[in-house]
Amino acid sequence: MARRGKRKGRPVDGLLVVDKPEGVTSNAALQIVKRMFAAAKAGHTGSLDPLATGVLPLCFGEATKFSQFLLEADKRYRTTFRLGISTNTGDADGEVVDEREVPEYDDAHLEIVFGQFRGEIEQVPSMFSAMKVDGQPLYKLAREGIEVERKSRKVTIRDLTLVGREALNLVLDIRCSKGTYVRSLAEDIGEVLGCGAHVSKLRRVESGPFAESGAVSLEQLRAIKDDGGFDALDAMLLPASSAVADWPHVELTDVMALYLKQGQPVMVPQAPTGGWVRIYAEGSDNATEAGNAGERVDGGANSEFLGVGEILPDGRVAPRRLVN
């Protein structure tokens, strides 16, 4: 059996929030940034459609161990639904398949309609989504003219607010659970209104703990690299712990940390009674500088981020994913 070659690139660790431009896939944006950093290992934390712009957290090195938690985090979008026109993709990149007259409506009517889509709802994924069936993304099958049956699945719309409207366009602020398809939401709302609809604009403004105010564009990154090289780029990185910055945290003594690193659950005074936690070793001399995987934001300046764990029924903290 052939041995895997050594991974090429620099050992970069940390997290970067990119403002993805329109017309670029999430993977293309990832590869552009990975090349800028000459990073050995990198991954994104949830695809945005080419039409969409906005918050795309990228993980490098040790931070990739925590990308799944950003995949599972809530998202927030600012979007425009164009009423009266339906497309085969559910967005403006698709072909028009139906045009209908838009009936008269007012804000009170819209609020009644929106009320049907708040909370836990069922969605059928679009044939042009990235969801895989038998290892194949649906959008690839759709481009070949193949349509397969898709099971509906439950998602949660935590907030659905009208922030502006013209006769044929609704501007909405949406906060939702992972796996929500905004294009499917547009199509379903359009059907309830009796005229059809599609997404004409889509911007992700939040992903988990990250907001658009902290995102950097590809153009800004290029300028930063031109001015300061790899050192300037590396200074832009957030610690791996920022992926779970909104979780409660616990601090371990050196002895506790030693047992935890060996895979053993430990009893920590005043720990939360349940759920997942960030884990730190207090007063460590091995704490790393800002921008690296081990940096600590809360508490003592020398505390070292060890990873994440889960509170067991007996109150002990069990390690679940640790940094090297």
Side-chain angles (χ1 to χ4, degrees):
M1 182 176 178
R3 301 179 66 178
R4 295 179 63 182
K6 186 176 181 181
R7 192 184 298 272
K8 296 180 180 179
R10 298 194 304 133
V12 179
D13 291 313
L15 195 147
L16 183 72
V17 183
V18 168
D19 189 336
K20 189 190 85 66
E22 185 176 351
V24 177
T25 67
S26 295
N27 187 60
L30 167 67
Q31 297 306 322
I32 290 169
V33 178
K34 185 180 179 182
R35 286 193 294 271
M36 283 189 201
F37 278 82
K41 184 179 182 181
H44 64 69
T45 58
S47 295
L48 281 172
D49 292 336
L51 171 78
T53 65
V55 176
L56 181 66
L58 305 180
C59 295
F60 297 86
E62 286 294 289
T64 59
K65 292 180 177 180
F66 308 97
S67 60
Q68 72 178 81
F69 304 116
L70 288 172
L71 283 168
E72 295 169 357
D74 282 0
K75 311 295 189 295
R76 183 180 172 194
Y77 298 93
R78 181 66 60 89
T79 183
T80 299
F81 291 174
R82 170 62 161 88
L83 302 180
I85 297 177
S86 299
T87 70
N88 63 339
T89 62
D91 62 24
D93 285 340
E95 299 177 1
V96 174
V97 294
D98 187 27
E99 292 191 53
R100 284 178 270 176
E101 184 177 347
V102 179
E104 291 188 9
Y105 59 87
D106 57 21
D107 288 357
H109 182 206
L110 288 176
E111 182 59 27
I112 293 172
V113 172
F114 293 161
Q116 301 176 38
F117 294 93
R118 295 190 183 105
E120 189 174 79
I121 64 171
E122 296 275 347
Q123 272 195 341
V124 177
S126 166
M127 269 304 301
F128 286 85
S129 69
M131 191 182 83
K132 292 184 178 181
V133 173
D134 296 329
Q136 284 289 322
L138 287 177
Y139 66 81
K140 286 189 176 181
L141 298 175
R143 288 169 183 166
E144 296 172 5
I146 301 172
E147 182 164 353
V148 298
E149 184 179 356
R150 289 98 64 204
K151 293 182 179 179
S152 65
R153 59 185 187 178
K154 292 181 179 180
V155 298
T156 302
I157 308 299
R158 306 195 192 284
D159 191 29
L160 176 60
T161 303
L162 180 70
V163 295
R165 72 179 178 96
E166 299 174 357
L168 301 178
N169 295 285
L170 305 178
V171 182
L172 303 172
D173 187 281
I174 301 169
R175 189 165 62 88
C176 54
S177 66
K178 69 167 185 174
T180 300
Y181 291 104
V182 176
R183 69 176 87 187
S184 295
L185 191 62
E187 291 173 325
D188 293 343
I189 287 175
E191 289 307 310
V192 173
L193 288 171
C195 57
H198 70 271
V199 173
S200 62
K201 294 180 182 179
L202 181 63
R203 179 168 179 80
R204 187 155 70 190
V205 296
E206 291 180 8
S207 178
F210 302 114
E212 61 180 335
S213 59
V216 58
S217 71
L218 298 182
E219 290 75 16
Q220 288 173 316
L221 284 175
R222 291 188 183 99
I224 289 168
K225 184 176 182 180
D226 289 344
D227 289 342
F230 288 139
D231 288 344
L233 283 180
D234 291 349
M236 298 291 295
L237 294 174
L238 300 170
S241 58
S242 62
V244 289
D246 50 353
W247 291 14
H249 71 275
V250 297
E251 294 200 16
L252 312 184
T253 64
D254 288 343
V255 173
M256 291 177 185
L258 179 62
Y259 282 111
L260 186 96
K261 290 177 181 178
Q262 294 173 349
Q264 300 183 40
V266 295
M267 186 64 71
V268 183
Q270 300 180 329
T273 57
W276 288 68
V277 292
R278 293 171 290 153
I279 306 172
Y280 296 89
E282 61 185 15
S284 170
D285 292 332
N286 298 318
T288 55
E289 296 298 324
N292 290 324
E295 192 220 347
R296 164 83 156 116
V297 177
D298 329 269
N302 292 325
S303 295
E304 178 189 8
F305 177 61
L306 299 181
V308 298
E310 188 175 12
I311 307 297
L312 299 178
D314 63 8
R316 291 180 299 163
V317 179
R320 291 293 182 248
R321 187 148 296 185
L322 304 180
V323 297
N324 289 330

